[in-house]
Amino acid sequence: MSALPAYGAAIRVGVMGVVESMRYLEIAAALRDRIDSGQYAPGDQLPSEAELRQEFDGASANTVRQALAVLTNEGLTRSERGRGVFVRSYDRTPVDVGPAGGEREFGAEVEVQIMRTPAHLADLLPGVARVVRRRALGGALRASYYPRELADVVPELAEPEPLPELDHVLLTRAGAGVSEGQTDVVARMPTPQEAAALALPPATPVLEYLATLVDADGAVRVVREALYAGDRHKLRMRLR
């Protein structure tokens, strides 16, 4: 008989533990409602961990941290070491990726390399053994690929200087005109390497962009690929 009170106490402790372990969802929901209603606006700092523990009837530090982690993983907040947790703001710069779009290289640092055609582009560039890759550094991860022989027609493609004009303008002027081929945009989560290169906060997707420009015979002459931070960019296309 003496074991029964201890058994009952164990049940009470177990139930209390389960309730406490689920409280983080209650706290997260309350904070989410305040963000959705505008009580906490983009850029505002959330109450400190100590303030939240007091507000929510002495919730444990771990429970509060779990609640804040939920909001971060939902992309609603960001954490700054030594400062606190803030409501995330989304100020997305439009990038024109319409027909023969692309971004000007002016002012960007450009890396140029003559290389074997990358395996992931082989289907787009059948029979092309070597390409000129122009990669713009900074901001987004952007690269354009051209069959090596096009550099004989437009020497600027192989020069490590920003192009004076968009590539399709230079090609058209040189008699190697191109037009829009196919454009694919995929939203996905980044790899750890991509997240580090783009300095992405947790729970931030990327926009993966792949487009081709083709000549009069339908052969791909330019391949553009880019990876943009989903919280800082929006891709703009104009329908024809």
Side-chain angles (χ1 to χ4, degrees), residues 13 20 44 54-55 67 97 107 110 118 129-130 132 136 160 164 166 226:
V13 170
E20 178 63 22
D44 285 352
Q54 182 177 8
E55 177 183 351
V97 293
V110 179
R130 299 181 72 79
V132 177
L166 291 174

PDB file of all heavy atoms in Angstrom, residues 13 20 44 54-55 67 97 107 110 118 129-130 132 136 160 164 166 226:
ATOM      1  N   VAL A  13       3.840  14.163 -11.522  1.00  0.00           N
ATOM      2  CA  VAL A  13       5.076  14.751 -12.033  1.00  0.00           C
ATOM      3  C   VAL A  13       5.166  14.566 -13.541  1.00  0.00           C
ATOM      4  O   VAL A  13       5.537  15.473 -14.285  1.00  0.00           O
ATOM      5  CB  VAL A  13       6.302  14.133 -11.336  1.00  0.00           C
ATOM      6  CG1 VAL A  13       7.591  14.561 -12.051  1.00  0.00           C
ATOM      7  CG2 VAL A  13       6.343  14.553  -9.880  1.00  0.00           C
ATOM      8  N   GLU A  20       4.361  21.155 -19.225  1.00  0.00           N
ATOM      9  CA  GLU A  20       5.427  22.146 -19.347  1.00  0.00           C
ATOM     10  C   GLU A  20       6.133  22.024 -20.686  1.00  0.00           C
ATOM     11  O   GLU A  20       6.472  23.033 -21.317  1.00  0.00           O
ATOM     12  CB  GLU A  20       6.441  21.962 -18.210  1.00  0.00           C
ATOM     13  CG  GLU A  20       7.633  22.914 -18.261  1.00  0.00           C
ATOM     14  CD  GLU A  20       7.246  24.382 -18.113  1.00  0.00           C
ATOM     15  OE1 GLU A  20       6.160  24.660 -17.570  1.00  0.00           O
ATOM     16  OE2 GLU A  20       8.022  25.245 -18.565  1.00  0.00           O
ATOM     17  N   ASP A  44      11.118  45.289 -34.741  1.00  0.00           N
ATOM     18  CA  ASP A  44      10.927  45.414 -33.291  1.00  0.00           C
ATOM     19  C   ASP A  44      11.618  44.270 -32.554  1.00  0.00           C
ATOM     20  O   ASP A  44      11.686  43.140 -33.055  1.00  0.00           O
ATOM     21  CB  ASP A  44       9.438  45.397 -32.935  1.00  0.00           C
ATOM     22  CG  ASP A  44       8.741  46.701 -33.271  1.00  0.00           C
ATOM     23  OD1 ASP A  44       9.437  47.671 -33.645  1.00  0.00           O
ATOM     24  OD2 ASP A  44       7.500  46.738 -33.165  1.00  0.00           O
ATOM     25  N   GLN A  54       8.594  35.716 -16.935  1.00  0.00           N
ATOM     26  CA  GLN A  54       7.715  36.340 -15.949  1.00  0.00           C
ATOM     27  C   GLN A  54       6.287  36.457 -16.482  1.00  0.00           C
ATOM     28  O   GLN A  54       5.319  36.186 -15.764  1.00  0.00           O
ATOM     29  CB  GLN A  54       8.254  37.713 -15.579  1.00  0.00           C
ATOM     30  CG  GLN A  54       7.423  38.434 -14.515  1.00  0.00           C
ATOM     31  CD  GLN A  54       8.034  39.758 -14.121  1.00  0.00           C
ATOM     32  OE1 GLN A  54       8.994  40.227 -14.720  1.00  0.00           O
ATOM     33  NE2 GLN A  54       7.467  40.397 -13.096  1.00  0.00           N
ATOM     34  N   GLU A  55       6.153  36.853 -17.759  1.00  0.00           N
ATOM     35  CA  GLU A  55       4.820  37.032 -18.320  1.00  0.00           C
ATOM     36  C   GLU A  55       4.055  35.728 -18.376  1.00  0.00           C
ATOM     37  O   GLU A  55       2.843  35.686 -18.102  1.00  0.00           O
ATOM     38  CB  GLU A  55       4.925  37.630 -19.727  1.00  0.00           C
ATOM     39  CG  GLU A  55       3.576  37.773 -20.411  1.00  0.00           C
ATOM     40  CD  GLU A  55       3.679  38.300 -21.839  1.00  0.00           C
ATOM     41  OE1 GLU A  55       4.786  38.711 -22.251  1.00  0.00           O
ATOM     42  OE2 GLU A  55       2.650  38.297 -22.538  1.00  0.00           O
ATOM     43  N   ALA A  67      10.160  28.201 -27.629  1.00  0.00           N
ATOM     44  CA  ALA A  67       9.133  29.023 -28.276  1.00  0.00           C
ATOM     45  C   ALA A  67       9.769  29.983 -29.266  1.00  0.00           C
ATOM     46  O   ALA A  67       9.282  30.153 -30.394  1.00  0.00           O
ATOM     47  CB  ALA A  67       8.344  29.794 -27.215  1.00  0.00           C
ATOM     48  N   VAL A  97      14.257  39.287 -64.768  1.00  0.00           N
ATOM     49  CA  VAL A  97      14.718  38.060 -65.424  1.00  0.00           C
ATOM     50  C   VAL A  97      13.799  37.725 -66.595  1.00  0.00           C
ATOM     51  O   VAL A  97      13.605  36.575 -66.937  1.00  0.00           O
ATOM     52  CB  VAL A  97      14.780  36.876 -64.433  1.00  0.00           C
ATOM     53  CG1 VAL A  97      15.848  37.100 -63.397  1.00  0.00           C
ATOM     54  CG2 VAL A  97      13.419  36.650 -63.765  1.00  0.00           C
ATOM     55  N   GLY A 107      30.083  47.589 -62.030  1.00  0.00           N
ATOM     56  CA  GLY A 107      30.284  47.778 -60.603  1.00  0.00           C
ATOM     57  C   GLY A 107      30.480  46.486 -59.837  1.00  0.00           C
ATOM     58  O   GLY A 107      30.808  46.516 -58.649  1.00  0.00           O
ATOM     59  N   VAL A 110      34.044  40.555 -61.226  1.00  0.00           N
ATOM     60  CA  VAL A 110      33.745  39.468 -62.162  1.00  0.00           C
ATOM     61  C   VAL A 110      34.912  38.495 -62.226  1.00  0.00           C
ATOM     62  O   VAL A 110      36.079  38.898 -62.322  1.00  0.00           O
ATOM     63  CB  VAL A 110      33.454  40.028 -63.570  1.00  0.00           C
ATOM     64  CG1 VAL A 110      33.169  38.893 -64.546  1.00  0.00           C
ATOM     65  CG2 VAL A 110      32.261  40.982 -63.532  1.00  0.00           C
ATOM     66  N   PRO A 118      30.209  22.223 -67.495  1.00  0.00           N
ATOM     67  CA  PRO A 118      29.778  21.532 -66.272  1.00  0.00           C
ATOM     68  C   PRO A 118      28.771  20.431 -66.585  1.00  0.00           C
ATOM     69  O   PRO A 118      27.941  20.561 -67.491  1.00  0.00           O
ATOM     70  CB  PRO A 118      29.137  22.653 -65.443  1.00  0.00           C
ATOM     71  CG  PRO A 118      29.766  23.908 -65.954  1.00  0.00           C
ATOM     72  CD  PRO A 118      29.989  23.674 -67.420  1.00  0.00           C
ATOM     73  N   ALA A 129      32.224  21.330 -75.750  1.00  0.00           N
ATOM     74  CA  ALA A 129      33.206  20.756 -74.830  1.00  0.00           C
ATOM     75  C   ALA A 129      33.694  21.765 -73.794  1.00  0.00           C
ATOM     76  O   ALA A 129      33.940  21.415 -72.643  1.00  0.00           O
ATOM     77  CB  ALA A 129      34.396  20.203 -75.615  1.00  0.00           C
ATOM     78  N   ARG A 130      33.865  23.009 -74.218  1.00  0.00           N
ATOM     79  CA  ARG A 130      34.404  24.016 -73.309  1.00  0.00           C
ATOM     80  C   ARG A 130      33.551  25.288 -73.378  1.00  0.00           C
ATOM     81  O   ARG A 130      32.987  25.620 -74.436  1.00  0.00           O
ATOM     82  CB  ARG A 130      35.868  24.339 -73.642  1.00  0.00           C
ATOM     83  CG  ARG A 130      36.780  23.126 -73.516  1.00  0.00           C
ATOM     84  CD  ARG A 130      38.227  23.468 -73.819  1.00  0.00           C
ATOM     85  NE  ARG A 130      38.846  24.268 -72.765  1.00  0.00           N
ATOM     86  CZ  ARG A 130      39.287  23.753 -71.623  1.00  0.00           C
ATOM     87  NH1 ARG A 130      39.160  22.456 -71.367  1.00  0.00           N
ATOM     88  NH2 ARG A 130      39.863  24.529 -70.723  1.00  0.00           N
ATOM     89  N   VAL A 132      33.037  29.490 -71.716  1.00  0.00           N
ATOM     90  CA  VAL A 132      33.518  30.629 -70.940  1.00  0.00           C
ATOM     91  C   VAL A 132      32.491  30.874 -69.846  1.00  0.00           C
ATOM     92  O   VAL A 132      31.305  31.056 -70.131  1.00  0.00           O
ATOM     93  CB  VAL A 132      33.662  31.891 -71.810  1.00  0.00           C
ATOM     94  CG1 VAL A 132      34.089  33.079 -70.948  1.00  0.00           C
ATOM     95  CG2 VAL A 132      34.655  31.662 -72.931  1.00  0.00           C
ATOM     96  N   ALA A 136      29.643  36.703 -61.546  1.00  0.00           N
ATOM     97  CA  ALA A 136      29.602  37.957 -60.795  1.00  0.00           C
ATOM     98  C   ALA A 136      29.606  37.633 -59.309  1.00  0.00           C
ATOM     99  O   ALA A 136      28.843  36.778 -58.847  1.00  0.00           O
ATOM    100  CB  ALA A 136      28.362  38.762 -61.165  1.00  0.00           C
ATOM    101  N   PRO A 160      38.320  39.728 -68.096  1.00  0.00           N
ATOM    102  CA  PRO A 160      37.929  39.808 -66.676  1.00  0.00           C
ATOM    103  C   PRO A 160      37.508  41.210 -66.246  1.00  0.00           C
ATOM    104  O   PRO A 160      37.927  41.703 -65.202  1.00  0.00           O
ATOM    105  CB  PRO A 160      39.196  39.357 -65.956  1.00  0.00           C
ATOM    106  CG  PRO A 160      40.299  39.819 -66.845  1.00  0.00           C
ATOM    107  CD  PRO A 160      39.783  39.645 -68.254  1.00  0.00           C
ATOM    108  N   PRO A 164      30.413  45.921 -70.863  1.00  0.00           N
ATOM    109  CA  PRO A 164      29.903  47.293 -71.007  1.00  0.00           C
ATOM    110  C   PRO A 164      28.400  47.331 -71.255  1.00  0.00           C
ATOM    111  O   PRO A 164      27.746  48.339 -70.997  1.00  0.00           O
ATOM    112  CB  PRO A 164      30.679  47.832 -72.211  1.00  0.00           C
ATOM    113  CG  PRO A 164      31.040  46.613 -73.003  1.00  0.00           C
ATOM    114  CD  PRO A 164      31.293  45.530 -71.977  1.00  0.00           C
ATOM    115  N   LEU A 166      24.681  44.468 -71.734  1.00  0.00           N
ATOM    116  CA  LEU A 166      24.191  43.113 -71.527  1.00  0.00           C
ATOM    117  C   LEU A 166      24.708  42.203 -72.632  1.00  0.00           C
ATOM    118  O   LEU A 166      24.873  42.624 -73.784  1.00  0.00           O
ATOM    119  CB  LEU A 166      22.664  43.092 -71.500  1.00  0.00           C
ATOM    120  CG  LEU A 166      22.020  43.771 -70.276  1.00  0.00           C
ATOM    121  CD1 LEU A 166      20.503  43.802 -70.441  1.00  0.00           C
ATOM    122  CD2 LEU A 166      22.385  43.046 -68.993  1.00  0.00           C
ATOM    123  N   ALA A 226      21.516  31.454 -61.453  1.00  0.00           N
ATOM    124  CA  ALA A 226      21.706  32.335 -60.308  1.00  0.00           C
ATOM    125  C   ALA A 226      20.991  31.757 -59.097  1.00  0.00           C
ATOM    126  O   ALA A 226      20.047  30.973 -59.220  1.00  0.00           O
ATOM    127  CB  ALA A 226      21.195  33.740 -60.613  1.00  0.00           C
TER     128      ALA A 226
END
